[in-house]
Amino acid sequence: MPTDLTPRRWVEFAEIDNVRDLGGLPVSGGGTTRFGVVYRSSTPQQLSEADLAYLLGPVGLRTLVDLRTPVEVAQEGYGRLAKSAVRLVNLPVCKVASTAAPSELVPDARRFDLCELYHELLTGSAVSVVSAARLIADTTHHAVVFHCAAGKDRTGILAAILLDAVGVLAEAIVMDYALTAERIVRLRTRLDTLHSYRGLPPARTGILAVDPAPMRRFVADLHAVHGGAARWLRMNGLTDAELTALRRTMLA
């Protein structure tokens, strides 16, 4: 699988740790995803003035999709983004009837099945995930950045659904997920300073593990159980026209 576009996909900020463009990923049958349309990120709430200027300028941010729970949003906020012209859309990704913070999801960091968690989050968040796909399909909202706290799990689920739905190769989805490993120590340090995330396990353990295997299983299960992300999206309310628009928008 080509990896030469990976360095171009990272977007560097002073106070946001895990931002990358979803462009440049290989698609089944040839071609790649489009750069400059949609980005995945860790929480941007501590962004600097320079970070904000870069988001509004070169990135062209118009819409921020926040996958955190309402409790996290109320506690942590958006920092400088709150006073910007960026549209802030909260589409929580959480387990059914749950508003637990990430630190509450890890009763035992040594015995924690991330793939199982991802399925529970997807089951509990169909409306949010479909709404995010619908929003991203509409070019009037671009560029779009979606994020959670670390930009790994809830963000990873939405990224996997979007990328699989437009035909990105499964292993490319897995490798995109795994890139967070390059930032996990930095992420852990930042999250520990924020009220909602105190008590997280050490980097690379439990909820902060960045092993490709759970995402590989998650994508495989999408196909085995649902027939792939495109079919899952249609079963949960995305129209054929919206799916076509999503593919047209995200593919180069």
Side-chain angles (χ1 to χ4, degrees):
M1 186 184 71
T3 58
D4 55 308
L5 292 176
T6 298
R8 181 180 168 193
R9 296 185 54 235
W10 282 110
V11 187
E12 303 296 342
F13 293 92
E15 301 296 342
I16 318 174
D17 302 305
N18 191 22
V19 186
R20 50 191 181 269
D21 196 320
L22 286 190
L25 294 168
V27 176
S28 177
T32 63
T33 48
R34 190 189 306 273
F35 277 97
V37 172
V38 58
Y39 301 78
R40 57 179 295 169
S41 176
S42 54
T43 181
Q45 69 196 70
Q46 294 180 323
L47 80 169
S48 67
E49 288 285 0
D51 292 338
L52 180 60
Y54 194 80
L55 279 171
L56 297 179
V59 172
L61 175 63
R62 297 180 70 182
T63 307
L64 187 81
V65 175
D66 182 358
L67 308 179
R68 299 175 300 174
T69 66
V71 172
E72 289 171 89
V73 175
Q75 289 180 336
E76 303 298 336
Y78 294 101
R80 289 178 170 89
L81 280 165
K83 296 182 179 180
S84 75
V86 173
R87 181 187 179 197
L88 306 175
V89 182
N90 184 211
L91 298 174
V93 171
C94 56
K95 294 193 286 187
V96 177
S98 172
T99 57
S103 59
E104 298 174 296
L105 295 172
V106 201
D108 187 337
R110 295 166 299 178
R111 296 185 311 219
F112 193 70
D113 189 333
L114 280 172
C115 184
E116 180 181 340
L117 172 64
Y118 294 168
H119 285 297
E120 292 174 349
L121 291 172
L122 184 65
T123 298
S125 309
V127 171
S128 289
V129 172
V130 171
S131 296
R134 182 175 289 126
L135 186 153
I136 290 166
D138 183 347
T139 59
T140 65
H141 299 300
H142 296 168
V144 177
V145 172
F146 63 90
H147 76 94
C148 55
K152 178 177 79 74
D153 301 305
R154 293 170 287 185
T155 294
I157 291 167
L158 179 55
I161 293 292
L162 294 170
L163 295 173
D164 188 78
V166 303
V168 172
L169 300 175
E171 195 59 18
I173 296 172
V174 174
M175 291 302 101
D176 171 64
Y177 167 85
L179 284 174
T180 292
E182 297 182 17
R183 305 297 170 92
I184 197 63
V185 173
R186 187 192 311 178
L187 285 163
R188 173 65 177 78
T189 299
R190 184 178 302 278
L191 292 176
D192 203 42
T193 69
L194 304 176
H195 176 78
S196 298
Y197 314 113
R198 290 171 188 161
L200 287 169
R204 304 189 180 94
T205 65
I207 196 72
L208 293 182
V210 196
D211 180 353
M215 182 54 68
R216 188 173 286 115
R217 286 169 50 206
F218 178 74
V219 175
D221 289 348
L222 275 176
H223 286 266
V225 177
H226 304 291
R231 189 166 181 269
W232 183 90
L233 286 167
R234 289 197 300 268
M235 289 173 59
N236 285 280
L238 198 73
T239 67
D240 289 339
E242 288 168 335
L243 181 59
T244 297
L246 182 67
R247 289 171 170 158
R248 184 170 56 245
T249 295
M250 290 190 64
L251 299 181

